[in-house]
Amino acid sequence: MSPGIVVLVVAAISAVGYVLGRRRAVSLSASERVRLHSLPGYYGQTVALFAAVPAVIVLAAWLVVQPLLVETRVTGMIPDSVIPEGGARSLVMADVRRIADGIDAVLARGGISEGELSEMRADATDVRGFLAEVGVALGNDVPPPVFEAAKSYRQISKTGNFVAGALALALSIGFALWAYRRIAVDLRARNISERFVRALLVSASTIAILTTVGIIASLFFETYSFFRVYPAQEFFVSTVWNPQFRGGSELGILPLLWGTFYISLVALIVAVPLGLMIAVYLAEYAGPSVRSVVKPAIEVLAGIPTIVYGLFALVTVGPFLRDWIAQPLGLGNSSSSVLTAGIVMGIMIIPFVSSLSDDIINAVPQALRDGSYALGATQSETIKQVVLPAALPGIVGAVLLAASRAIGETMIVVLGAGATARLSLNPFEAMTTVTVKIVSQLTGDTEFASPETLVAFALGLTLFVLTLGLNVLALYIVRKYREQYE
Amino acid sequence: MSNMPTTMTTTTKAATMNESKISARKVQVFYGDKHAIKDVEIEIPPRSVTAFIGPSGCGKSTFLRCLNRMNDTIANCRVEGHISIDGENIYDPKVDPVQLRAKVGMVFQKPNPFPKSIYENVAYGPRIHGLARKKSDMDDIVASALQKAGLWNEVKDRLDAPGTGLSGGQQQRLCIARAVAVSPEVILMDEPCSALDPIATAKVEELIHELRANYTIVIVTHSMQQAARVSQRTAMFHLGELVEENDTDKMFTNPDDQRTQDYIMGRFG
Amino acid sequence: MSNMPTTMTTTTKAATMNESKISARKVQVFYGDKHAIKDVEIEIPPRSVTAFIGPSGCGKSTFLRCLNRMNDTIANCRVEGHISIDGENIYDPKVDPVQLRAKVGMVFQKPNPFPKSIYENVAYGPRIHGLARKKSDMDDIVASALQKAGLWNEVKDRLDAPGTGLSGGQQQRLCIARAVAVSPEVILMDEPCSALDPIATAKVEELIHELRANYTIVIVTHSMQQAARVSQRTAMFHLGELVEENDTDKMFTNPDDQRTQDYIMGRFG
Amino acid sequence: GAAAARDQIQIAGSSTVLPYASIVAEAFGENTDFATPVVESGGSGAGRKKLCEGVDENTIDIANSSSRIKQSDIDACAKNGVKEIQEVRIGYDGIVFASDINGPEFAFTPADWHMALAAKVVKDGQLVDNPYKKWNEIRADLPDQEILAFIPGTKHGTREVFDEKVIIDGCKEDGALEALKAANGGDEKAAEKACMALRTDGVSVDIDGDYTETLARIDANKNAIGVFGLSFYQNNTDKLRVATMSGVMPSVETIAKGEYPVSRPLYFYVKNAHLDVIPGLQEYIEFFVSDEMAGPDGPLAAYGLVSDPELAKTQAAVKARTPMGALN
Amino acid sequence: MTEISTFGASVAESRGKSLFAADERTRRRNAAEARFRMMGRIAVIIGIVALIGLLASILSNGMSSFQQTYVSLDIFLDPAKLDKAGDRNPEAIAKVSTFGYAPLIQKALQDAMVGKGIAGDGVNPKAAAELISKEAPADLRRFVLADPSAIGQTVHFDLLAAGRIDGYYKGRVTMESAKLDRNISPEQLMLADKLKEAGILTTRFNWSFFTAPDASDTRPEAAGLGVAIIGSAYMMLIVFVLSLPLGVAASIYLEEFAPQNRFTDLIEVNIANLAAVPSIVFGILGLAVLINFVGLPQSAPIVGGLVLTLMTLPTIIIATRAALKAVPPSIRDAALGVGASKMQATFHHVLPLAMPGILTGTIIGLARALGETAPLLLIGMVAFVREYPSGPPEGFFDPASALPVQIYNWTQRGDPAFVERASGAIIVLLVFLMMMNLIAIVLRRRFERRW
Ligand SMILES: Nc1ncnc2c1ncn2[C@@H]1O[C@H](COP(=O)(O)OP(=O)(O)OP(=O)(O)O)[C@@H](O)[C@H]1O
Ligand SMILES: Nc1ncnc2c1ncn2[C@@H]1O[C@H](COP(=O)(O)OP(=O)(O)OP(=O)(O)O)[C@@H](O)[C@H]1O
Ligand SMILES: [Mg+2]
Ligand SMILES: [Mg+2]
């Protein structure tokens, strides 16, 4: 029984359970002339849930556990002699699995029968050639113990699948029956199903936590090894970022943080006013037809691959700023600059501000606007003093999202602002960001265990902690200024 | 309270007694296909209180909103006809609705305080019109408006609390205070006392009475007694039509129209 | 309508005539620091109408919302004390507020129709409680609820129009219809007639009268006349305290408390 | 499902080797029954790290690398049970200096580059902060053009070669090394390090991206000189004018003969334990180093890889699966 | 009192004035209004102009990649070369590598030139054969292996022209540039012109751009987006199926059900912070957790999809929460008041009203997920992949590429022909994005309403 089929059967059982449960609830209420506690559908749902959830959990657990179990069983069958020198048991196991798959393929094609298969011996048959016919390529000829192991691998997996499938079906039917029998007019069916939904909601929101844990965990160990080979103090307070290929690098984070901050700031200075004005215009001034065209159009800006923006920065904006502003003002003659990257990035993140804010502004009740208009306020006064404050939490969320995007961007920075880490106030100079350096150090040609590569993890973790701090601050501000309408 | 005298002296020139402040001719309002106001003609005298009465859904609020073009904000609402204030057609394309609304204030049927502090709710209007130069001026305006609306005692200790955290009746009075604070020439009040207890109602009626000396007031009310108490003229709407418009005394003693009579006697519905 | 009898039979057992339907003991409500309800004790008899009166902001709505735990939804609101319905403590953690609210319906002070069609507004409650098995049953329920609320004639041609596009009074009646449609055992009405004209008011009062035979009704009103007309018992609140609770007749003729007397006489404020 | 065994070769590593590896992979897929190998690019360092993650189907089979494997990688491999690794040198990568096609011709020496880019240069016998703004200030027969150089970022393998073969050699040539040695109290290492310190006034621009980025930057700054791989230059001869180094024009031939100084070997590393397990792995590496592919007339050479003169030795080693010995 | 009279006077000024005669202050306010409105309009225009500019440059660079030049030749499949033994033994035929097929093409071209009377004019046969893609022998070999009986016959083939020739007809390569170009000579271009006149060379719509897999650096003309499109589609399917429900569920819990306490604050800050995590860090996560710990395969859409899901979730959650927050509480009260459970109130009333915001979050989140390369770098999807993944769900575990990866790869390649391909791929990506968003946009319009 393949898991797919079991899942389908379980789904069928729970569907039937739903119908029967519902029907039973209805008929009970009719015969006892008592109102049901919940809508009949909820009774159906409880049966369906009980039919599906335990079975699916068991099945899922089995899918995880079975390979482990089978592997341990089968690995034991492989004598050390067939394990090539320098190789590992796990690799032979890969062969075993490949052969087992191959056998399945052959069987499916009807090349041989089960009986013939059990007769078959690796030393007598050319298993490799045999499997090659069904498109399963093997790296080497098959030693007999491996072939035997493959056969029993197949056998055990089959039995395992069967047992698990049977168990799942039994659970499904058993729980379904139990849930069905339990139905009574005063069964709190809605509460049961809602508790289940709630559990789903809770587990969905814990994913954020798990992701965070995962990120921290995956960054932490390498960061730790980084700080073992590189002094933490240097990293945090040094103002020089100068990695060397052959060691002896200076890896101060400050210039990178400054670049990140500076470029993101420029991007936000471009994106927030533009985005907000677009949002305001679309939500308050534009007619529905304009809005329905412009909004999705602006959203395309967020979907254009960043390489396009990067090239735009490199080829158009950078030289323009250099030739028309920086050089005449004597502010340098670099075509890559903070301003170039910031402006272009700002354009890219406009939709983050505009679209989300537009939705939120649109959700502000009309009564508030009416209240303001009736006092003789102009539309812009109303927007600035009534609508926007009421929409503030959402707008802050949108801006944070935009800022986040700006912090995480690489391509535009690389092409627009260059790769030079520098602490400078001049926006016409090239600088770079933490994210860019994470990418470049991580994908570079230096050896992995060197501080030059490991620093990427330390950069990642530091950035993570810093943005966390910023977000706490943002939350605090939003809480303070939140205006709850009604 | 203190700035009342100044305002009074200047307002006199605007409206001569025999002219009407607001005059509406052949006003039609449609919500999409629904014909909500039919051919209404009315003259509203200045410095007086006019009451609109009529059964629920007859178009009182709709007509009231026409008078300061608040209907503009309803997407599918269409107004036809001619309404003029001080002889000027307010639906003229050249008219700035903002200026109009500064002149014609409104209190809505459903209280809609801003999600701001009580103080800010009241100070908002004066601020945008630049009525106060200093913080202390603003404090005075806010205090006096809240006093007039009879809310001062209840909220004076918590002017920083959000206006949305007030009780229904308090919100209603807050909205009245808000409207009064900008001292418009005309005040439209849509059932300003619906959520108020008798004492608060009396307080608001007193305010109306006081304002009458200088302002033109239009009030929608469901209470005949209230209409009788506060208004000089009364207009009776029914199914979108203006059934009768008359001096209040006459209206409640000897109405011209049968329907008015029926309505007042409670024989409708 | 069809399953009304079933409900009734089950409810009878709950309340014996001499028992009170709702009883509150030492109820305190705080909004953050603000002490909005102080030590209120009250017994509300079944199958009767109890009126809450008192000046605006005295805590009537707050207390009313305690009775079906609608206060749960206000973030900074804290309720202490003991409220029981049919002898069961409704603040018991084991109580399902949903079931409670299905049993104790509510009409809010500010009409809050769903942004859906009129039909859907009324049908929503019956639908989630499974009161109608067929479309036609639902149609019946909706029609009868709207009729009871006196709105049927005005909206029967446009049941598909959005509930938010109704006039203020119509919205209020829609909310009444919505509450009545699920036939709860207790109906809490927060100023249900505030936006209604006398005829519509009369219609709602008639409804209350009708419902009284089988339901327990608590109504907040600012109109003494209305309280006198519809209620058997009246409770008077003042500054968060329950000043007096008495038979309505007694209350309006010979109140025990001086403050009640003052309020009724309009000597407050 | 997830448990199915892998049947294609997985390769990761250097983006410099990637083009060659993909040419071979494509031809391999075309000419055999095996699946076309998957060739990732993620940098030599990451590739070697992945290679050394263990012997398991879930790890890669081959790591491409633009520099030799490091001892730390070998240690990591050993720790994870990857004992036998084959080192396969596939040829040489030439590194060229090129400018816009419409600009003047350049004939460089390493000393020119050191003088142009170093933070400190010797001028009139004194160690001073680099004062040069134009090439002809360094050497009169260089064009009168502002100095602006796009050099590979410090993460690039190319940068290592650039530092070693151009900057340090130049440092020696122009005598700065001696001066720096003197300044550092005779410490040779410190002096070399000081040699490699480049000026930070925007004249030397690190490129973290790839050669296309350098090309685009030259497009935007016509007076700049960029550092490219030979193969990249060969594909863009209509846009770039290549410079000679010490009088030698870079080409596959001059590099193979060892005349052109700036080049480096390219490698891939094979995990021997996978050889018999991953279908086609042995065939692939043999195919790669075969004369048809990696020989002087093969497609790799046509694309700009400098064929290894000792290819025959490599072919034999690959046949014999000889694991690499200790690093020297 | 005096103070007050002064400001009272300012009110008085406007009092009684005509509605048509604006006073100083009103004029100023109206000017501010007009300015504000104009700012809004300008902002929209800037946005649109930026969009149009970017799109125009993308289109002008990339449209040409939808055209392709082909060489039509009748090729004699010479048994002497392909099947020396003459017994049509498939194994023996398979031994002939693509190098063995190249001469057949060279000869066929010469024959065709002779047939049409085209002189070589200094272009030797080998150089003439360079007009044809290196992919051509592989095509031939594939054809022969599929049908060995064709050996010995003359078969008509439409072969790809080499990248430079293709570029010549798209304006990328000119006679001038060819003079400097080591890979093509002006003589070869002239020959191509003659072939074109003779109808041997044709240019037409390039279907294989959408279906062919990637090709190596030497064959830009053969490179296509087939594998990348499948990979992206798989990943987007995973992202959409997982991130939308998960994101909405998490937001609902946090916004509607979770108690307000430190822990939920922590989650809230956390989610906001996850949005700020650079995407490559999600790649690190994917490598460490999904590949090394869970043991999922490298380069597989399933890993890419999961990583992108994690990356998209915060965007959707933040947007959804903001939208939920914006629904007025009175709506919830109304539902609860008729006895709806919180769950019902949320799903029946609040969620539909929050839908526009949710969909916006989805649109923006998916747009980002679709265009992201960095996280894929570490999980092995930034790769040269020529094999098509199988159908879902097995295909989720097969190596695949993705559209942004293909773009990224192509922009790094030496041959300028890949720049054009990359721009073409960007167009495809944008079209893909718009198709993906279309439903969301239509739905969003339906849910939009004011209250
Ligand atoms: N959400 C809230 N937050 C803070 N304070 C509140 C809130 N709601 C009500 N209050 C305060 O609690 C007190 C009682 O309010 P409640 O709404 O119960 O009054 P009420 O008797 O219903 O008045 P009304 O007749 O005006 O509706 C008032 O002072 C009010 O300002
Ligand atoms: N936005 C709207 N869209 C469609 N119809 C509307 C809208 N607003 C009001 N109506 C309808 O127009 C008619 C008049 O409404 P209006 O609000 O003017 O009544 P009203 O006299 O104020 O009643 P009430 O005393 O109940 O407030 C009613 O039938 C109402 O249903
Ligand atoms: Mg009204
Ligand atoms: Mg109240």
Side-chain angles (χ1 to χ4, degrees), chain A residues 86 90-91 94 97-98 137 139-140 243 245-246 248 314 322 335-336 414-415 422 437 440 443-448, chain D residues 3 6 42-45 49 55 57 66 70 72 154-157 160 164 193 200 208 213 217 221 276-277 279:
Chain A
S90 64
L91 282 175
R97 264 180 282 140
R98 203 173 288 123
N140 206 353
F245 213 87
R246 296 188 297 180
L314 179 65
R322 178 194 57 196
S335 67
S336 350
V414 168
L415 294 179
R422 185 180 286 138
K437 286 300 165 190
S440 71
T443 57
D445 292 331
T446 40
E447 62 196 300
F448 201 84
Chain D
R6 172 153 72 85
S44 305
K49 152 117 181 162
V55 240
E57 248 207 321
S66 61
K70 298 288 182 314
S72 67
T154 46
K155 61 145 197 173
H156 273 293
E160 189 180 20
E164 261 171 31
K193 191 163 180 254
T200 54
D208 261 6
E213 184 191 336
R217 283 191 188 275
N221 300 274
D276 288 332
V277 184

Side-chain angles (χ1 to χ4, degrees), chain D residues 137-182:
Chain D
E137 292 169 12
I138 294 170
R139 198 149 54 81
D141 42 357
L142 284 173
D144 173 17
Q145 181 170 317
E146 274 186 44
I147 305 175
L148 179 57
F150 294 127
I151 61 172
T154 46
K155 61 145 197 173
H156 273 293
T158 322
R159 176 65 172 268
E160 189 180 20
V161 184
F162 177 77
D163 278 351
E164 261 171 31
K165 301 251 167 91
V166 180
I167 297 296
I168 294 193
D169 284 0
C171 194
K172 283 180 193 148
E173 272 176 38
D174 66 15
L177 187 69
E178 285 306 313
L180 285 165
K181 212 157 132 185

